[in-house]
Amino acid sequence: MDKLQMKTPLVEMDGDEMTRILWQQIKEELLEPYIDLKTEYYDLGLPHREETGDQVTIDAAQANKKYGVAVKCATITPNAQRVEEYKLSQMWKSPNGTIRAILDGTVFRAPIMVKGLNPVVKNWQAPITIARHAFGDVYKAAEYKVPGPGKAELVFTASDGAETRQTIHQFDGPGVLQGQFNMEASITSFAHSCFQFALDTRQDLWFSTKDTISKQYDHTFKDIFAAVYEEDYKAKFEQTGITYFYTLIDDAVARVIRSKGGFIWACKNYDGDVMSDMVSTAFGSLAMMTSVLVSPDGNYEYEAAHGTVTQHYYRHLKGEQVSTNPMATLFAWTGALAKRGELDGLPELTAFARKLEKAAIDTIESGVMTGDLVGLWEGAAKPRKVTGLEFLRAIRERLCAPTKTEVKHL
Ligand code: NAP
Ligand code: MG
């Protein structure tokens, strides 16, 4: 079989520990045998970030902007213990944070659904994708512990010196205070990312805030989404046959639970933080989630939602056979390849990526799975626990096996 050809390279961001090992195995077992893989390689593994003074992370993000599509392996975000372990000259920042700051955008997370791994909410039949705004609000707030009686005021001083002032509360005893903000530019780019992603994936978009109570703050989010929709997306949504739906956050929560799934739920920063944990837990496991950062100017960075699975790596180093789930990392690759195929007019590349995803899902449905899934398994097939590498090889066998129609024609 001739290998599939690519036009534009994928920006490949390698990472750390157990996921770095899976990364190499995925390439060797499932990609390089079938694709003439073109990547521009950036080693974001912690030793190389240290060697380059973290410049490699910045270069990788710039390359993502240049080429449009990147695939990223999980990376260590150093803490004090890692500084010691890797003899770091400083506690480098989270690579995801650095990349997000350069690309700007919204993180979309969706579960990978498999028959036999059932969501806790039994009526959820299709994935629910959470789109989380990753800027501002309570994550950038100023806070104050009020010591005793006094007046709290909200003061804004314009750049020309003009002052507006309103009373927040007349305290008659101790209490607490918080000042949050967001910016129209960030909310607007959040809106564009969400509408664009809904179009790309042909799914309805829901958005929720608490605008009845927060008449200025949350209402601004609601208004910006409505304006961006009217101006740039209404016609495209109607053509595609998808809808945009705004509702109050409490109403949204009730509707999400009663829904069948199959839509995108855009959430403000805090709501997205909380709701994505709720939704991913109810669907099963972080190793069975896809995650992609979409920037407003159409750059994509595909990654796994979980970390570098350190505990498995330490056991692997001791020579133990570990059963680490490569699904999320594999789907980061297939997501990126499918997008590259779409952008470069290479439908065979996109089709191969989808075929690989299907082979991976079929492998689990046949009962072959990593240890994390065995306890969750409710399928008909008897589950067989395998290592990450054995799992990838089982996918490869399935990929090579002739399909039913091919067999008929033999
Ligand atoms: P983690 O790597 O996600 O692992 C936490 C636990 O979840 C594992 O010990 C394992 O449980 C289970 N798990 C996660 N992914 C799995 C998989 N693919 N297959 C099987 N089990 C899986 O989180 P962490 O231990 O808190 O963080 C480790 C490192 O990852 C840290 O240095 C952190 O900075 C980094 N991190 C990176 C990213 C990123 O780059 N996107 C995200 C989060 C964390 P059992 O041990 O019970 O089997
Ligand atoms: Mg959280």
Side-chain angles (χ1 to χ4, degrees):
M1 194 180 95
D2 285 344
K3 286 192 189 182
L4 291 166
Q5 296 299 310
M6 295 177 63
K7 282 184 194 159
T8 317
L10 275 181
V11 178
E12 175 182 355
M13 306 180 186
D14 207 345
D16 289 298
E17 302 192 314
M18 205 59 218
T19 40
R20 188 180 178 95
I21 292 169
L22 292 175
W23 189 262
Q24 196 53 40
Q25 292 173 346
I26 287 169
K27 285 171 65 179
E28 284 171 14
E29 295 293 330
L30 295 173
L31 304 177
E32 284 162 353
Y34 307 101
I35 307 171
D36 205 353
L37 201 61
K38 241 190 195 177
T39 74
E40 193 163 292
Y41 181 83
Y42 292 86
D43 184 0
L44 267 56
L46 190 48
H48 195 238
R49 275 183 274 152
E50 167 70 16
E51 274 163 38
T52 60
D54 208 23
Q55 184 61 36
V56 64
T57 309
I58 296 161
D59 292 347
Q62 297 295 358
N64 197 162
K65 279 187 112 163
K66 177 176 168 196
Y67 292 112
V69 186
V71 53
K72 180 181 169 292
C73 181
T75 45
I76 293 168
T77 298
N79 54 16
Q81 183 240 321
R82 298 296 199 165
V83 170
E84 181 97 343
E85 182 184 355
Y86 283 82
K87 307 274 174 274
L88 302 179
S89 57
Q90 47 173 293
M91 201 184 289
W92 304 110
K93 284 195 209 144
S94 148
N96 291 334
T98 303
I99 295 166
R100 233 165 266 173
I102 293 173
L103 287 186
D104 180 17
T106 305
V107 178
F108 295 86
R109 290 208 164 152
I112 302 164
M113 294 195 68
V114 170
K115 279 192 219 90
L117 294 172
N118 301 320
V120 176
V121 181
K122 62 181 186 297
N123 43 287
W124 286 357
Q125 292 163 12
I128 294 168
T129 303
I130 299 275
R132 174 183 171 189
H133 185 209
F135 179 80
D137 300 355
V138 70
Y139 303 87
K140 289 258 182 197
E143 297 194 316
Y144 183 64
K145 220 165 147 41
V146 175
K151 185 161 80 166
E153 290 179 291
L154 195 58
V155 182
F156 176 73
T157 314
S159 44
D160 67 1
E163 215 177 75
T164 34
R165 181 180 281 272
Q166 51 180 306
T167 302
I168 298 168
H169 190 65
Q170 187 73 52
F171 284 88
D172 55 13
V176 280
L177 262 177
Q178 185 180 66
Q180 295 189 28
F181 76 96
N182 220 300
M183 293 187 311
E184 286 194 11
S186 176
I187 303 166
T188 305
S189 76
F190 171 43
H192 279 289
S193 300
C194 291
F195 288 119
Q196 195 53 53
F197 194 76
L199 280 174
D200 281 354
T201 59
R202 294 173 173 267
Q203 296 184 84
D204 291 344
L205 176 67
W206 298 16
F207 180 45
S208 55
T209 72
K210 192 73 183 174
D211 66 284
T212 45
I213 301 299
S214 172
K215 290 184 165 52
Q216 301 288 330
Y217 200 104
D218 279 19
H219 216 292
T220 300
F221 280 76
K222 178 185 177 182
D223 292 344
I224 288 176
F225 265 67
V228 169
Y229 178 65
E230 280 299 321
E231 175 96 11
D232 291 326
Y233 296 96
K234 191 164 190 276
K236 291 180 203 156
F237 267 51
E238 284 168 4
Q239 266 169 23
T240 313
I242 56 174
T243 54
Y244 169 57
F245 170 60
Y246 176 85
T247 188
L248 280 174
I249 178 89
D250 30 5
D251 180 50
V253 168
R255 284 171 188 263
V256 164
I257 295 296
R258 286 196 308 263
S259 77
K260 292 195 165 81
F263 54 88
I264 299 160
W265 181 13
C267 290
K268 285 179 58 197
N269 209 349
Y270 174 81
D271 300 342
D273 184 353
V274 177
M275 292 304 159
S276 67
D277 279 6
M278 193 267 287
V279 169
S280 63
T281 305
F283 270 108
S285 137
L286 267 193
M288 295 294 287
M289 296 280 290
T290 63
S291 180
V292 56
L293 171 70
V294 182
S295 82
D297 45 352
N299 297 309
Y300 296 78
E301 185 239 326
Y302 292 83
E303 57 173 15
H306 58 75
T308 57
V309 212
T310 312
Q311 294 315 317
H312 291 209
Y313 181 62
Y314 291 158
R315 282 172 21 222
H316 163 84
L317 289 181
K318 283 194 212 143
E320 275 181 52
Q321 293 285 323
V322 290
S323 182
T324 315
N325 190 339
M327 283 290 279
T329 305
L330 174 62
F331 275 62
W333 273 102
T334 54
L337 286 166
K339 178 55 74 181
R340 199 65 273 168
E342 211 179 291
L343 296 175
D344 289 348
L346 298 170
E348 322 77 47
L349 188 63
T350 305
F352 174 77
R354 297 298 173 227
K355 192 174 156 190
L356 192 47
E357 289 173 352
K358 182 167 186 308
I361 289 171
D362 289 349
T363 301
I364 298 176
E365 289 181 353
S366 77
V368 178
M369 63 192 78
T370 45
D372 55 319
L373 301 183
V374 173
L376 306 169
W377 183 247
E378 293 181 306
K382 191 172 174 313
R384 183 159 69 86
K385 178 180 162 181
V386 294
T387 65
L389 182 58
E390 285 166 344
F391 178 71
L392 295 173
R393 291 194 170 141
I395 298 173
R396 185 165 173 182
E397 264 175 43
R398 202 163 271 278
L399 202 60
C400 296
T403 62
K404 277 191 191 131
T405 25
E406 278 163 358
V407 170
K408 234 188 276 170
H409 291 97
L410 283 178

